[in-house]
């Protein structure tokens, strides 16, 4: 893992994306509601914060960035021009497992329009580089929605298909087998999916095994697309850092190709998610497709802040009778351009939570 360069994480990520030729996309915190209502199936949840503007239009606080980028790119250039954008924005939605709206900070990229394997590989490389910039031990896992979709094509019930995909996503082999039997999935396909689910290795090491387990139909086509990405990643020495994992399963009405996610040691939830999408329809009717990812910076920053001591030039610890003197000393230090932290002697000054250059203790007799 490469050590991150100097500067804050947002600045390092912006520099990374600009080196790749991506331009920053800036947007309002809200959009007209109809763009989201027309594409609700693409959103992470049904709940959207709305308000009525003074002109009577129903507006929404952004629950999604991709839709805004696709809409604006399509309106300006149509679907035939490739657009490469990065962003640093907040979205407003109800996180999984919560009952309340949250502001979620995201940094990410969108490659919109006519894409090919090289463009998709570049997005994956940028995702891995973004993870490296966190300075933590990370892993990027990848799959392809067409693999499971192709292997489950014979399951007529959409509800059953969703149930089977959910079992794969949860790595619930027992539940998958029971659901497969109930759905009438043949034993050979069931066994192949279970074998694919057991693979966890760099994509370059398991490409042949993936192909052998997906022979025939749409699943093989999807697997070959994934293997093409593996070859391109290998060409730049990055395939060993990208792991195959069939449990990377997202909404198949949104994602249609390669999908991936990133994790960091010490953070229980994923900190990055992305993939190839198609079928996003803008208000003007252009079809938006492309590939992108979002890095969720809030849990990264919370992890970085844990255990970090406050840093001050001067720590002033005062006891009973030393309050006035302590305030006067603190004022003098601050006037001299130094930072000064006031703390009662029983306020935890000695618990390791403060890093200081100078320590001054004050009691009723003055400086001790």
């Amino acid at each position: 893992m490469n050590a991150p360069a100097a500067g804050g994480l947002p600045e390092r990520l912006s520099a990374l994306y600009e080196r790749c030729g991506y331009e920053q996309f800036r947007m309002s915190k809200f959009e007209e509601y109809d763009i989201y209502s027309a594409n609700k199936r693409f959103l992470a949840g049904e709940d959207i914060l709305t308000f009525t503007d003074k002109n009577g239009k129903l507006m929404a606080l952004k629950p999604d960035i991709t839709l805004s980028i696709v809409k604006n790119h399509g309106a300006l250039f149509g679907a035939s021009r490739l657009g490469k954008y990065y962003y640093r924005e907040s979205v407003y939605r109800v996180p999984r497992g919560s009952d309340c709206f949250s502001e979620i900070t995201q940094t990410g990229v969108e490659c919109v329009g006519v894409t090919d394997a090289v463009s998709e590989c570049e997005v994956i490389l940028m995702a891995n580089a973004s993870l490296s910039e966190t300075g933590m031990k990370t892993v990027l896992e990848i799959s392809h929605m067409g693999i499971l979709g192709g292997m489950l094509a014979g399951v007529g019930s959409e509800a059953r298909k969703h149930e089977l995909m959910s079992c794969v996503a949860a790595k619930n082999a027992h539940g998958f087998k029971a659901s497969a039997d109930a759905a009438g999935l043949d034993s050979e396909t069931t066994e192949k999916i279970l074998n694919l689910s057991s693979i966890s290795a760099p994509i370059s090491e398991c490409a042949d095994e993936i192909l052998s387990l997906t022979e025939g139909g749409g699943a093989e086509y999807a697997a070959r697309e994934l293997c093409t990405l593996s070859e391109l990643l290998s060409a730049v020495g990055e395939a060993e850092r990208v792991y195959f994992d069939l449990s990377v399963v997202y909404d198949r009405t949104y994602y249609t190709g390669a999908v991936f996610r990133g994790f960091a040691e010490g953070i229980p939830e994923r900190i990055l998610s992305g993939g190839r999408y198609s079928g996003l329809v803008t208000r003007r009717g252009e079809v938006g497709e492309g590939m992108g990812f979002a890095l969720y910076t809030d849990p990264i920053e919370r992890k970085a802040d844990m255990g970090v001591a406050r840093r001050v030039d001067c720590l002033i610890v005062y006891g009973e009778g030393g309050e006035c003197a302590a305030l006067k000393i603190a004022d003098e230090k601050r006037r001299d351009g130094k930072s000064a932290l006031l703390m009662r002697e029983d306020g935890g000054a000695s618990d390791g939570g403060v890093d200081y250059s100078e320590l001054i203790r004050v009691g009723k007799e003055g400086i001790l």
Side-chain angles (χ1 to χ4, degrees):
M1 179 181 64
N2 296 326
L9 180 59
E11 290 73 24
R12 296 198 304 270
L13 292 172
S14 294
L16 165 66
Y17 305 147
E18 288 177 4
R19 286 197 303 272
C20 296
Y22 279 62
E23 60 180 305
Q24 186 169 7
F25 190 96
R26 293 181 174 88
M27 61 198 83
S28 169
K29 290 186 179 296
F30 46 83
E31 294 259 16
E32 291 184 26
Y33 174 74
D34 61 358
I35 180 64
Y36 301 117
S37 64
N39 293 280
K40 270 194 171 182
R41 69 186 187 279
F42 297 123
L43 302 178
E46 291 290 320
D47 298 309
I48 302 174
L49 277 172
T50 61
F51 65 95
T52 303
D53 207 350
K54 285 189 175 182
N55 60 12
K57 287 186 178 180
L58 187 61
M59 308 296 289
L61 285 170
K62 293 194 311 292
D64 181 84
I65 303 295
T66 303
L67 281 169
S68 296
I69 291 178
V70 168
K71 184 194 85 167
N72 284 280
H73 175 82
L76 289 172
F77 307 115
S80 60
R81 174 170 166 176
L82 183 64
K84 295 188 174 186
Y85 308 102
Y86 78 91
Y87 60 86
R88 291 163 54 183
E89 299 286 342
S90 293
V91 295
Y92 304 86
R93 58 178 178 236
V94 179
R96 186 178 303 168
S98 174
D99 295 324
C100 303
F101 278 96
S102 294
E103 180 180 6
I104 302 169
T105 307
Q106 296 180 183
T107 297
V109 306
E110 297 294 343
C111 184
V112 184
V114 180
T115 60
D116 58 10
V118 172
S119 298
E120 293 178 14
C121 179
E122 182 182 55
V123 171
I124 296 169
L125 290 170
M126 293 168 72
N128 230 350
S130 299
L131 291 173
S132 293
E133 287 294 347
T134 67
M136 295 184 285
K137 185 177 180 181
T138 60
V139 63
L140 187 70
E141 299 173 340
I142 191 170
S143 187
H144 193 298
M145 290 301 298
I147 293 178
L148 264 182
M151 298 182 86
L152 297 177
V155 178
S157 167
E158 286 299 313
R160 286 289 188 189
K161 197 174 293 185
H162 177 76
E163 182 180 311
L164 289 164
M165 288 188 167
S166 296
C167 288
V168 173
K171 297 188 176 183
N172 181 359
H174 178 76
F176 177 83
K177 195 171 187 318
S179 295
D181 290 342
L185 190 66
D186 65 273
S187 58
E188 182 181 0
T189 301
T190 298
E191 192 64 28
K192 284 182 177 181
I193 292 175
L194 290 173
N195 287 338
L196 281 167
S197 298
S198 69
I199 299 173
S200 180
I203 185 68
S204 58
E205 295 180 8
C206 57
D208 290 341
E209 185 177 3
I210 294 169
L211 284 173
S212 69
L213 290 169
T214 55
E215 290 180 338
E220 181 180 357
Y221 181 82
R224 291 196 178 280
E225 281 194 346
L226 199 59
C227 289
T228 296
L229 288 174
S230 174
E231 291 171 4
L232 293 171
L233 290 166
S234 295
V236 292
E238 288 288 318
E240 293 296 316
R241 299 183 61 215
V242 180
Y243 279 64
F244 174 77
D245 193 320
L246 192 68
S247 71
V248 185
V249 178
Y250 296 149
D251 189 336
R252 57 198 176 90
T253 61
Y254 184 105
Y255 290 101
T256 55
V259 286
F260 49 91
R261 65 189 176 196
F263 293 93
E265 189 174 47
I267 299 178
E269 71 265 34
R270 68 186 180 215
I271 62 169
L272 182 147
S273 62
R276 181 180 173 86
Y277 51 83
S278 64
L280 290 182
V281 182
T282 71
R283 203 170 82 182
R284 287 178 139 192
E286 297 94 347
V287 175
E289 62 178 35
M291 191 169 190
F293 66 84
L295 179 71
Y296 309 112
T297 56
D298 291 335
I300 299 170
E301 292 172 353
R302 286 196 297 270
K303 173 67 175 175
D305 289 341
M306 289 176 62
V308 177
R310 285 173 289 178
R311 173 68 187 169
V312 294
D313 295 317
C314 181
L315 173 62
I316 304 166
V317 181
Y318 59 92
E320 186 177 353
E323 293 88 348
C324 292
L327 284 167
K328 184 177 179 181
I329 294 169
D331 182 62
E332 290 172 351
K333 294 292 183 183
R334 293 163 185 164
R335 286 177 184 274
D336 289 339
K338 295 182 178 180
S339 58
L341 173 64
L342 284 163
M343 187 174 287
R344 288 180 57 90
E345 62 182 355
D346 58 353
S350 60
D351 67 356
V354 182
D355 186 10
Y356 52 86
S357 299
E358 181 184 8
L359 172 63
I360 300 175
R361 293 186 178 275
V362 187
K364 61 183 177 181
E365 303 297 330
I367 297 177
L368 303 178

